[in-house]
Amino acid sequence: MGDHKEQPLRVGAAVRRRRRALELTLAVVAARSGLSVPFLSQIENDRARPSTSSLEKVADALRTTAVELLAAADPACSVDVVRADGTEPQLQPRTRSLVRGHHQMHASEFTGDHDAGREFQYRNDQLMYVADGAVEIEAEGRAYRLGRGDTLYLTGGVRHRWRATESDTRLVVVAVADHIEAVRDRPRR
């Protein structure tokens, strides 16, 4: 109960996201796939479930694979609980995903420290929230010190690194998933 893996996948949103990312109309996808515009519209709106053959035709038209479309599909459920499991050993550092599956939003909790020299750069925007402890984040050539309850918002493409400055630090990072075209490519500096 509450586990989205028990629910059927809705592939329509994945098809729509991919089509829009390629800036294609339904008519172009229909011409490439040999399927009708109304049928493609029904797929995108989850009013029709494509057969394996139809999904492969759509994937080919979108220059991807049926497997990739299914991986990017939304689960049909709207609620999923990820519980803190107190039974696993508290090895430091630790990363825990707060959102299961392949969704439009990704969230992770980092406990303790990690390789402070590691630089991160994500395509889409993200929010960093200090749940406990303190961190130092270097972004755009500046250092930011954050304590419990503080947040830092980074737009997509910003290179950054962070390190915990107190033991037992918990940092929550929430971001639009990389498979989503949430922002257009920004010029690199």
Side-chain angles (χ1 to χ4, degrees):
M1 185 165 95
D3 187 349
H4 75 270
K5 292 176 185 172
E6 300 169 1
Q7 304 293 326
L9 293 176
R10 297 181 316 203
V11 74
V15 170
R16 182 182 310 107
R17 284 190 299 265
R18 177 70 181 172
R19 178 179 62 78
R20 287 181 177 168
L22 295 173
E23 298 180 354
L24 300 175
T25 64
L26 281 173
V28 170
V29 177
R32 288 182 180 180
S33 67
L35 302 171
S36 72
V37 171
F39 180 61
L40 290 171
S41 177
Q42 288 177 341
I43 290 172
E44 284 193 1
N45 291 298
D46 289 313
R47 292 190 192 115
R49 291 182 60 174
S51 66
T52 301
S53 172
S54 293
L55 186 59
E56 287 172 358
K57 289 176 183 178
V58 171
D60 287 344
L62 296 174
R63 299 184 189 118
T64 189
T65 65
V67 171
E68 286 294 318
L69 288 175
L70 288 171
D74 294 335
C77 71
S78 60
V79 176
D80 188 28
V81 175
V82 177
R83 300 214 183 265
D85 186 2
T87 61
E88 65 183 61
Q90 294 296 314
L91 301 175
Q92 302 292 338
R94 181 172 76 109
T95 303
R96 180 172 74 102
S97 180
L98 301 176
V99 178
R100 290 186 283 223
H102 209 65
H103 294 284
Q104 293 184 22
M105 185 180 71
H106 178 72
S108 296
E109 176 186 65
F110 297 90
T111 303
D113 210 347
H114 70 288
D115 178 6
R118 182 175 176 202
E119 187 175 71
F120 298 91
Q121 181 180 30
Y122 298 100
R123 175 176 176 73
N124 294 319
D125 296 359
Q126 68 176 356
L127 176 79
M128 300 174 86
Y129 170 75
V130 181
D132 279 313
V135 298
E136 185 173 276
I137 301 169
E138 181 185 322
E140 295 293 309
R142 292 186 58 196
Y144 301 89
R145 296 176 196 271
L146 283 79
R148 182 178 184 195
D150 291 341
T151 62
L152 180 75
Y153 187 90
L154 300 167
T155 58
V158 171
R159 293 179 189 276
H160 61 283
R161 67 182 91 234
W162 67 272
R163 68 180 186 90
T165 57
E166 293 181 11
S167 60
D168 298 328
T169 291
R170 287 188 310 128
L171 178 70
V172 175
V173 178
V174 179
V176 175
D178 284 336
H179 72 279
I180 304 297
E181 295 287 332
V183 295
R184 295 199 179 271
D185 286 328
R186 293 186 174 111
R188 304 258 182 216
R189 293 182 187 185

